Amino acid sequence: MLDQGAPPQNPGQTAAPAPPGIGARLMRRKPVERLVAEGGQGEGGSLRRTLGLWQLTMISIGATLGTGIFVVLGEAVPKAGPAVTLSFVIAGLTALFSALSYAELAGTIPVSGSSYSYAYATMGELIAWICGWCLVLEYGVSVAAVAVGWGEYLNELLDGTVGVTIPAALSAPPGDGGVFNLPALIVVLLAMAFLLGGARESARANTVMVIVKIAALVLFCAIGVQGFRSGNYENFMPLGMAGVSAAGATLFFSYIGFDAASTAGEEAKNAQRDLPRAIMLSLVIITALYVLVAAVAVGAKPWKNFTDSEAALAQIMREVTGQSFWGTLLAFCAVIAIASVVLTVLYGQTRILFAMSRDGLVPKVFARVHPKTGAPRANTLIVSLFCGVLAAAIPLGQLADATSIGTLFAFALVNVAVVVLRRTKPDLPRTFRVPLSPVLPALGFAFCLWMMGSLSTVTWVVFGVWMAAGLVFYFGYGYRRSRLAPSEK
């Protein structure tokens, strides 16, 4: 018998598909083709493709070289002793494995979102959000951490030239004997001023600063080696391998430069060709200089005499020569060098938020592009003020570890993403391929997890709170406003 209450059915008509469940929505992926097609597009304007291989390499070096040497060496040596050189090597190897994955993905998906966009194309929206949220922590806190060290070298410079220093109350954050770190805020605002002028102008300023910082480190090695004492290496690993890995985890945030280069994907003239080259070239140069400078520094000064000073290299120069001139000169170079790190990392932060805003996961204000400069001005202002206040109020050590855990988590996801994309999109054109895949990506993933495990419980608690806040924001805002959501209705 026919069910009299049932509506008549048209044999040629099919029922509308049921809307996807929450699990499917959380796993929705943004097609690679769409990511590439939207490259450079913002609210009211577009980013401009003005950067070549030289500028991209300088951005990568600018964001990296100086952070671990000029700023965090004084923090890392007490953890590892003379074996801090090994800590740099381990951190560099971890970065290398991840850099290989970054190079392949940057050449395949040349967009501003970096690992956030790579995760969006391979592992779905929720994982992409978590990755992007980690990048916000990585970049924002890194800017603040480096800005703190800039203030230390500025005081060294002032002391050596005019004989005065900024009072502790205005040159250190609460908890480090001060009230407000004014120099840290100033350097962030200076970087902001360059970024508001556009990518090309910022790249030019960064190139000059990178040349100065390389010259400064070469000068340090030439002078510091005169005070080298082999006896400083007799007890090479006084705190064991645990100390080496702990120092390596802290130093790892010094290697985020190639990640900053990948955020320039939508402003590069030939991103698919130049991004992989810039990433690998910069990492080789950076690692070699880091290890060389660390080896000379520990050879010239017993590791137990290192303090938490962020101006360790200038102090070594003064001690070796017995003259204040060389330490003052290095402090001058460091002031310029560290400013370039602030500039380029702040640049990367704004481009990450630009990509997330374009996808609807954060407010549209971050994707607005100024028609004259081609720069996301409102984005730059908001991020700069936030990072400046953070730098002025929080001690360096806490900032460095928080940056490391965010970086390591994001890099771990990139190593997974490169394997997933190989399987899901094997025919995509790739200008660079990770050798021995999936072995090297798996090693990169494992190294990242190992170094994350070396960080303190406090750092993990901070990371957990940050992740929880990010998930609240995502489900309260991004989940419903995602640009992929309308196509599912």
Side-chain angles (χ1 to χ4, degrees):
M1 293 180 62
L2 293 175
D3 184 356
Q4 300 297 323
Q9 295 185 358
N10 186 340
Q13 182 179 3
T14 58
I22 186 172
R25 293 182 181 183
L26 296 178
M27 294 298 293
R28 54 195 175 199
R29 293 180 293 180
K30 189 171 184 179
V32 173
E33 297 77 11
R34 182 171 173 181
L35 278 167
V36 176
E38 292 179 355
Q41 299 176 19
E43 294 286 332
S46 300
L47 301 177
R48 298 175 182 173
R49 294 191 177 275
T50 59
L51 306 178
L53 175 61
W54 172 253
Q55 290 91 346
L56 293 170
T57 304
M58 290 298 102
I59 287 174
S60 183
I61 295 176
T64 308
L65 188 59
T67 310
I69 288 295
F70 285 111
V71 178
V72 189
L73 187 63
E75 295 265 345
V77 172
K79 295 181 180 180
V84 71
T85 53
L86 184 57
S87 299
F88 271 112
V89 172
I90 291 174
L93 282 174
T94 304
L96 174 62
F97 291 134
S98 298
L100 292 170
S101 296
Y102 263 101
E104 177 169 329
L105 292 172
T108 309
I109 313 174
V111 295
S112 289
S114 185
S115 51
Y116 154 76
S117 294
Y118 309 152
Y120 212 164
T122 56
M123 292 177 279
E125 187 171 282
L126 179 61
I127 301 299
W129 168 263
I130 292 173
C131 186
W133 195 243
C134 283
L135 291 175
V136 171
L137 176 67
E138 169 192 336
Y139 280 96
V141 178
S142 179
V143 168
V146 179
V148 171
W150 186 84
E152 292 285 331
Y153 275 100
L154 180 62
N155 259 340
E156 290 281 335
L157 177 61
L158 292 174
D159 185 40
T161 53
V162 296
V164 299
T165 58
I166 301 172
L170 295 177
S171 62
D176 275 1
V179 176
F180 192 79
N181 195 328
L182 182 61
L185 176 60
I186 290 173
V187 71
V188 174
L189 295 181
L190 288 173
M192 178 188 73
F194 279 110
L195 291 175
L196 290 175
R200 176 185 294 176
E201 290 71 18
S202 301
R204 287 173 179 170
N206 174 66
T207 298
V208 173
M209 290 188 281
V210 168
I211 292 173
V212 169
K213 79 167 73 178
I214 292 177
L217 292 176
V218 171
L219 175 66
F220 169 81
C221 291
I223 294 178
V225 73
Q226 299 175 27
F228 192 92
R229 300 290 182 271
S230 59
N232 291 339
Y233 278 92
E234 286 183 356
N235 187 10
F236 182 69
M237 200 180 295
L239 303 175
M241 197 62 198
V244 172
S245 61
T250 296
L251 291 169
F252 187 76
F253 96 110
S254 308
Y255 286 91
I256 67 173
F258 60 84
D259 182 78
S262 70
T263 65
E266 294 174 23
E267 290 162 286
K269 296 177 182 178
N270 191 339
Q272 290 182 309
R273 181 195 67 188
D274 292 340
L275 279 178
R277 295 178 181 181
I279 288 170
M280 300 310 301
L281 179 61
S282 62
L283 186 63
V284 170
I285 295 171
I286 289 159
T287 303
L289 279 171
Y290 273 169
V291 173
L292 179 61
V293 173
V296 172
V298 175
K301 183 174 184 175
W303 73 272
K304 290 184 179 180
N305 293 344
F306 276 80
T307 64
D308 286 345
S309 169
E310 286 82 36
L313 297 191
Q315 293 176 358
I316 291 172
M317 291 275 277
R318 188 181 299 111
E319 292 168 4
V320 169
T321 62
Q323 300 175 8
S324 62
F325 170 77
W326 294 108
T328 302
L329 178 61
L330 187 74
F332 169 75
C333 295
V335 166
I336 297 175
I338 297 173
S340 76
V341 180
V342 175
L343 174 66
T344 48
V345 176
L346 191 63
Y347 167 84
Q349 172 71 98
T350 60
R351 271 45 179 186
I352 294 292
L353 287 170
F354 174 87
M356 296 177 73
S357 175
R358 186 173 56 200
D359 292 334
L361 301 185
V362 298
K364 290 183 179 180
V365 65
F366 291 100
R368 291 178 187 167
V369 177
H370 193 273
K372 290 184 178 180
T373 63
R377 280 196 168 183
N379 181 343
T380 302
L381 286 168
I382 294 170
V383 171
S384 299
L385 292 175
F386 173 79
C387 292
V389 172
L390 194 67
I394 300 181
L396 171 64
Q398 298 174 20
L399 291 173
D401 285 348
T403 304
S404 291
I405 197 167
T407 305
L408 287 164
F409 190 84
F411 283 12
L413 291 179
V414 168
N415 285 294
V416 174
V418 75
V419 176
V420 172
L421 195 63
R422 283 275 190 101
R423 294 180 179 274
T424 58
K425 296 282 186 178
D427 298 327
L428 280 177
R430 290 169 169 83
T431 56
F432 177 85
R433 286 178 174 268
V434 179
L436 302 177
S437 180
V439 176
L440 292 188
L443 285 174
F445 180 80
F447 266 71
C448 287
L449 293 186
W450 173 53
M451 296 189 75
M452 287 177 72
S454 300
L455 293 170
S456 67
T457 302
V458 173
T459 302
W460 274 98
V461 170
V462 171
F463 183 66
V465 172
W466 177 258
M467 285 292 100
L471 290 175
V472 169
F473 187 92
Y474 171 70
F475 284 106
Y477 184 92
Y479 175 74
R480 293 176 176 83
R481 295 176 182 264
S482 168
R483 290 187 61 193
L484 294 186
S487 63
E488 298 172 350
K489 295 179 181 179

